[in-house]
Amino acid sequence: MKLYAHILTILLLTLSQSAMSERHQDLVSIPVEDVRLTSGSPYYHAQQMDIRYLLALDPDRLLAPYLKGAGLKAKAENYSNWENTGLDGHIGGHYLSALSYMYAATGNEEILSRLRYMVSELGRAQAAKGDGYLCGDPKGEELWLQIKRGDIKAQSFSLNGGWVPLYNIHKIYAGLRDAYLIGHQEEAKGILTKLTDWMLDITSGLTDEQIQQMLVSEHGGLNETFADVYAITGDKRYLTMARRFSHHALLDPMLRGESKLDGIHANTQIPKVVGFKRIADVTGDSDWDRAAAWFWQDVTTRRSVSIGGNSVREHFHPATDFTPMRESEQGPETCNTYNMLRLSKMLWLSTGDTKYMDFVERGLQNHILSSINPVQGGFVYFTPMRSGHYRVYSQPQTSMWCCVGSGMENHARYGEYIYTSSAKGESLYVNLFIPSTVKWNGSTIEQLTRFPEEQGTSFIIREGKKQKFSLSIRIPAWAEPSEISATLNGKPITYQSEGGHLTINRKWQQGDSLHITLPMHLRAEQMADGAPYYSFSYGPVVLAAETGRDRQDGLFADDSRGGHIAAGPKLPLTSMPVIIEDNPQTILSHITPVDGKPLTFRLKASEEQTLVPFYQLYDCRYMVYWPVYTSAEREKMLAEQKLREQEQLELDKHTADLVICGEQQPESDHFVQMDKSRTGVDDNGHWRVADKGGSFGYTMKNSPSAKLRIVCQPSSNADMRIMVDGKQVGSVAASASKELKVVEVPLPKSADEKISVTFLPDTQKRTPMVYEVRVKSEE
């Protein structure tokens, strides 16, 4: 396995170096306001649902943390959920970005009014503060003054006692940047610059080592936004700060072509890499460019599933074992794909390699489109790949998760991916097949298509003078180039095929009509770890099957801290349909199209199922991956899986509450308290310990007749007292054994709905590594 990993590392590095060797410096984005989606597609519908969601939010409630942080009276109370429990203000930053993109994409005047109001009120808050500071973080000024003094206490998901304040403030930096660059709000530029000057002052006295210590805490893409402020102003101080805010614990292994992603928090890393890439773009740093391409290759080819998403419980699982992906109810996180799409676009612009737009198509078509409820509205946090499970949708007044923030941006940003221009205006590149119009180089071009229901797309020159240019249409990775054909004004034509594009270079005039035929085929895609699990696609569309609608507990989330998780019963995986096939080469023979129903198929498995595009399924349980067994394997594999699953399902059935230690969301959802405590990850999963003189603990749900169940790693230099509501209920003694230990202690009888669970060393040692803490009901 080590030799395989080494060979794969060399291969990935070679691929990323090859991608960077042919840089296409002449590709530029087309302004968002020059692209309009047209009605009739699921993208347009999602955009309209997003507008409804944006207008359902109260700007004064989103602004409240910023006004309070400036010492002003808020006009309304904070929203609840994450917006009043430590991440106060982070949705306000996303909202600013979403309004900016949505106004640019649609010209909606009500959206513009909201945007202007947000910028004006943020400016008022910053002016009242007087020093450039603008943030909703509830720890406020004292936290930043501690950092300025060099008093830095950083852990993965906390900084000086605050819940990722750097991540929080990054959202307002990004929102102000987008308000200026995309929403064209001139006032936002001044607010952004003053806020950047404030951070310069906060960090000017810190050494590079202290900055790197601070960056242990999740910090979003601050390096990217500082590079953007440099590009806006030309002030090199901001570029220096962008480099200083680049986390070398991630960057340096990437520069060496080493994959060090197993077990780490996925969306902490992706925005950092977006920042590395942005710095490379504004400085011409080819090494950082290669590092970003390396990361993209590693994530998309080794750590992603067919819909384009990645991570389980927000973390990268081992690339060689997707078992957690298949079994967890907390599958790919939408924020991850949001940021991978942004990284893909940047890499496309600098390389012209169509593989990046192939990924954009995959991620948008299958993950992002499926992450918005098409009837009720609402965004998805986790998209489980566990067969027979379901997704939870946000509600405007209750749900303030990170994936709500990126979610409201996602469906406003479709237009930025569809077209690209050469810098000199001699070529228009068509990246995606989405009904839309684009104003470009004096012409208005409309893309007419019912893709993917239609196997092709058409272009009509609606306005513009007669002029010569190249129209280059991406040849998708899923298409057979020999089967693609083109007609111009109704007559077949020949075309150039180069660089992954179908290119027609001619003098175009108003009324010209081009049609491209893109035949689609069924494909089977095996999970990246090589296990016998397959998903099925038709062209770029991932197919899925509905498996029922029972017990979708919390389908529309309340404002509880764990409301984003689909916590209803997990159906036994052994009850899910399987495909019996002795020859993997003939798996597709089990699938047949349904006459008269586009994109609908029948799957002959252990029970017959109907397959439709995953993005069409909502408010239901579903399957995306199917186990494929040979006749000889079936009974053995099912028996092994049943044995493994029975114990876990029984445990889950009696679980009143659960914390996975060392993981951000489970810990923050349980209001983790810690002192001289640290986290890590090993082959057993994520853990937390308290060192000598320290402690850690959680607020958990109580349950009648319950026990506290702790999974920990004994050690000869570790022991632990287990405290509930300040009273000792159990202990773990030091032990030379390295085997995982399960400790169960009865909980004291209490009518309280919540209990405080604390762990601390019993003597002068540290605690054992604690992996999970569970309140287990005996009822």
Side-chain angles (χ1 to χ4, degrees):
M1 185 59 70
K2 288 183 179 179
L3 178 60
Y4 168 78
H6 179 66
I7 293 171
L8 188 57
T9 294
I10 294 172
L11 176 60
L12 286 174
L13 183 59
T14 302
L15 286 170
S16 62
Q17 287 174 334
S18 173
M20 287 296 129
S21 66
E22 298 182 10
R23 294 177 58 85
H24 287 237
Q25 299 284 5
D26 64 336
L27 295 182
V28 295
S29 294
I30 291 175
V32 178
E33 61 263 29
D34 289 341
V35 179
R36 289 283 187 269
L37 304 191
T38 52
S39 61
S41 76
Y43 292 99
Y44 179 83
H45 179 73
Q47 184 188 73
Q48 299 306 302
M49 296 298 292
D50 193 14
I51 290 174
R52 190 171 82 173
Y53 201 99
L54 290 170
L55 295 179
L57 290 166
D58 183 348
D60 285 323
R61 296 188 73 181
L62 295 175
L63 287 163
Y66 295 96
L67 297 178
K68 292 176 183 177
L72 299 174
K73 181 177 173 145
K75 297 178 182 179
E77 280 306 308
N78 294 32
Y79 275 111
S80 61
N81 198 239
W82 294 15
E83 277 290 304
N84 70 356
T85 55
L87 268 183
D88 311 31
H90 80 295
I91 292 293
H94 279 294
Y95 191 62
L96 204 56
S97 292
L99 292 173
S100 301
Y101 272 91
M102 191 62 82
Y103 173 63
T106 65
N108 184 295
E109 289 295 327
E110 193 170 358
I111 292 291
L112 175 60
S113 177
R114 292 281 182 98
L115 175 59
R116 286 173 172 165
Y117 180 71
M118 289 288 293
V119 172
S120 175
E121 287 292 280
L122 290 166
R124 184 167 73 90
Q126 188 182 61
K129 189 67 178 65
D131 59 359
Y133 175 71
L134 182 66
C135 186
D137 189 280
K139 291 290 181 178
E141 194 170 17
E142 178 54 33
L143 180 146
W144 302 107
L145 290 176
Q146 290 172 6
I147 292 170
K148 185 174 182 178
R149 294 194 299 264
D151 178 12
I152 298 169
K153 302 181 182 71
Q155 296 198 33
S156 298
F157 308 118
S158 68
L159 179 63
N160 287 53
W163 184 10
V164 290
L166 291 172
Y167 169 92
N168 190 345
I169 202 169
H170 166 253
K171 305 313 163 198
I172 195 62
Y173 275 110
L176 290 166
R177 173 202 61 199
D178 293 339
Y180 173 64
L181 292 177
I182 307 299
H184 304 300
Q185 300 302 298
E186 187 66 29
E187 184 183 356
K189 177 182 177 182
I191 302 172
L192 174 63
T193 306
K194 289 174 185 175
L195 183 58
T196 311
D197 287 339
W198 169 84
M199 185 64 84
L200 267 175
D201 177 66
I202 289 291
T203 58
S204 61
L206 300 181
T207 65
D208 289 345
E209 290 74 18
Q210 287 173 315
I211 294 283
Q212 291 299 308
Q213 179 188 354
M214 183 176 67
L215 296 181
V216 167
S217 181
E218 186 179 10
H219 52 275
L222 281 172
N223 56 347
E224 179 204 6
T225 53
F226 296 149
D228 287 331
V229 178
Y230 160 69
I232 291 168
T233 65
D235 190 330
K236 290 188 177 180
R237 295 179 303 155
Y238 305 138
L239 179 58
T240 299
M241 188 161 67
R243 284 191 174 275
R244 293 231 297 161
F245 269 73
S246 293
H247 196 202
H248 284 268
L250 176 67
L251 175 61
D252 291 348
M254 288 164 49
L255 290 169
R256 297 190 296 267
E258 298 174 3
S259 182
K260 300 286 188 180
L261 301 185
D262 287 2
I264 63 177
H265 189 257
N267 202 48
T268 294
Q269 318 313 321
I270 306 171
K272 297 177 191 176
V273 181
V274 172
F276 301 157
K277 174 59 178 158
R278 182 61 178 139
I279 292 168
D281 285 346
V282 298
T283 64
D285 190 319
S286 59
D287 289 337
W288 287 34
D289 227 346
R290 279 192 292 271
W294 158 264
F295 178 89
W296 185 93
Q297 192 79 16
D298 192 355
V299 172
T300 61
T301 63
R302 302 179 63 220
R303 301 177 186 278
S304 298
V305 290
S306 60
I307 64 169
N310 63 73
S311 83
V312 174
R313 295 198 311 272
E314 302 188 2
H315 292 71
F316 288 124
H317 55 74
T320 54
D321 185 5
F322 274 55
T323 302
M325 181 71 78
R326 294 188 287 271
E327 296 183 351
S328 178
E329 79 284 11
Q330 298 177 47
E333 179 185 355
T334 307
C335 277
N336 297 11
T337 301
Y338 160 87
N339 279 309
M340 286 301 296
L341 291 173
R342 297 187 66 236
L343 179 60
S344 299
K345 180 188 172 186
M346 297 167 78
L347 289 164
W348 151 246
L349 288 174
S350 64
T351 68
D353 193 328
T354 55
K355 71 179 181 182
Y356 297 116
M357 278 301 157
D358 285 331
F359 177 81
V360 168
E361 179 180 56
R362 176 187 291 249
L364 287 179
Q365 186 84 57
N366 301 296
H367 194 185
I368 299 304
L369 263 185
S370 73
S371 69
I372 186 169
N373 188 293
V375 176
Q376 301 294 327
F379 308 113
V380 168
Y381 196 119
F382 293 123
T383 299
M385 290 294 101
R386 180 187 175 93
S387 294
H389 214 61
Y390 65 100
R391 292 158 290 180
V392 166
Y393 301 95
S394 69
Q395 299 190 81
Q397 307 307 316
T398 66
S399 313
M400 298 292 147
W401 327 313
C402 55
C403 292
V404 167
S406 59
M408 64 177 67
E409 289 187 47
N410 277 328
H411 310 285
R413 299 179 72 134
Y414 291 132
E416 73 169 329
Y417 296 109
I418 303 174
Y419 306 100
T420 303
S421 174
S422 59
K424 295 180 180 179
E426 72 274 20
S427 298
L428 177 68
Y429 293 86
V430 179
N431 307 317
L432 301 174
F433 313 121
I434 297 176
S436 54
T437 61
V438 56
K439 291 183 178 180
W440 173 79
N441 204 21
S443 295
T444 298
I445 302 168
E446 183 175 8
Q447 183 175 182
L448 293 164
T449 183
R450 292 182 297 105
F451 184 85
E453 285 83 0
E454 172 191 1
Q455 299 189 33
T457 189
S458 298
F459 304 90
I460 298 177
I461 311 298
R462 293 295 187 192
E463 297 176 357
K465 62 184 180 180
K466 190 172 185 179
Q467 60 177 321
K468 187 174 184 179
F469 62 86
S470 292
L471 191 59
S472 292
I473 295 100
R474 176 179 60 94
I475 298 175
W478 47 263
E480 290 291 339
S482 61
E483 296 178 349
I484 298 174
S485 62
T487 61
L488 179 65
N489 299 326
K491 297 179 180 179
I493 59 166
T494 58
Y495 54 84
Q496 293 178 317
S497 179
E498 57 185 12
H501 289 89
L502 180 162
T503 299
I504 299 170
N505 187 352
R506 71 186 301 272
K507 189 168 279 190
W508 299 86
Q509 61 184 350
Q510 187 172 327
D512 277 348
S513 175
L514 174 70
H515 179 76
I516 307 296
T517 301
L518 297 164
M520 298 193 292
H521 300 282
L522 282 167
R523 292 177 296 117
E525 182 175 333
Q526 190 173 10
M527 252 185 186
D529 65 344
Y533 290 81
Y534 290 80
S535 73
F536 302 104
S537 300
Y538 188 62
V541 179
V542 173
L543 303 171
E546 180 178 330
T547 61
R549 295 177 179 258
D550 293 339
R551 288 297 308 275
Q552 294 179 83
D553 300 358
L555 181 64
F556 290 92
D558 57 21
D559 66 352
S560 63
R561 285 296 289 266
H564 57 291
I565 300 170
K570 297 177 184 175
L571 303 182
L573 293 176
T574 49
S575 69
M576 294 296 112
V578 300
I579 297 173
I580 308 302
E581 177 54 66
D582 293 332
N583 181 4
Q585 302 302 315
T586 59
I587 292 174
L588 292 179
S589 65
H590 292 254
I591 303 175
T592 55
V594 176
D595 290 340
K597 291 187 177 181
L599 304 179
T600 305
F601 301 83
R602 296 283 185 209
L603 171 64
K604 183 181 178 183
S606 52
E607 58 184 78
E608 189 171 85
Q609 293 178 288
T610 299
L611 302 185
V612 297
F614 181 51
Y615 67 80
Q616 292 182 1
L617 294 179
Y618 61 96
D619 295 0
C620 67
R621 294 175 179 266
Y622 55 81
M623 282 186 79
V624 175
Y625 277 90
W626 280 261
V628 178
Y629 301 139
T630 66
S631 304
E633 290 173 337
R634 179 186 181 185
E635 295 307 320
K636 177 186 175 186
M637 298 293 285
L638 287 176
E640 289 177 355
Q641 187 177 54
K642 187 173 183 179
L643 269 177
R644 188 172 70 250
E645 196 173 25
Q646 276 179 336
E647 182 179 347
Q648 187 62 49
L649 287 174
E650 186 65 20
L651 184 59
D652 290 345
K653 179 181 175 182
H654 293 285
T655 295
D657 204 358
L658 170 66
V659 180
I660 304 296
C661 302
E663 291 191 0
Q664 177 187 19
Q665 224 42 65
E667 290 202 323
S668 62
D669 287 343
H670 292 84
F671 303 96
V672 60
Q673 297 292 318
M674 53 200 163
D675 179 37
K676 298 178 183 176
S677 175
R678 52 194 167 86
T679 62
V681 61
D682 57 26
D683 290 343
N684 297 312
H686 291 85
W687 50 260
R688 180 176 286 282
V689 302
D691 290 318
K692 176 182 174 181
S695 65
F696 68 93
Y698 311 99
T699 299
M700 302 187 72
K701 295 176 184 176
N702 199 1
S703 179
S705 306
K707 290 182 178 179
L708 199 63
R709 183 181 188 273
I710 300 124
V711 179
C712 61
Q713 173 81 68
S715 173
S716 57
N717 67 339
D719 55 24
M720 181 167 68
R721 283 187 287 158
I722 305 168
M723 314 291 290
V724 173
D725 292 336
K727 297 179 181 179
Q728 184 170 343
V729 297
S731 62
V732 177
S735 170
S737 171
K738 293 295 183 182
E739 296 296 319
L740 281 184
K741 185 173 185 177
V742 177
V743 178
E744 291 191 353
V745 294
L747 285 172
K749 299 288 184 182
S750 171
D752 293 340
E753 293 183 0
K754 302 286 186 180
I755 56 173
S756 174
V757 180
T758 306
F759 305 94
L760 64 163
D762 191 26
T763 58
Q764 297 298 307
K765 306 176 184 289
R766 63 166 175 84
T767 66
M769 292 181 289
V770 181
Y771 294 87
E772 69 174 50
V773 182
R774 190 183 298 255
V775 175
K776 180 184 172 188
S777 173
E778 296 302 304
E779 294 184 350

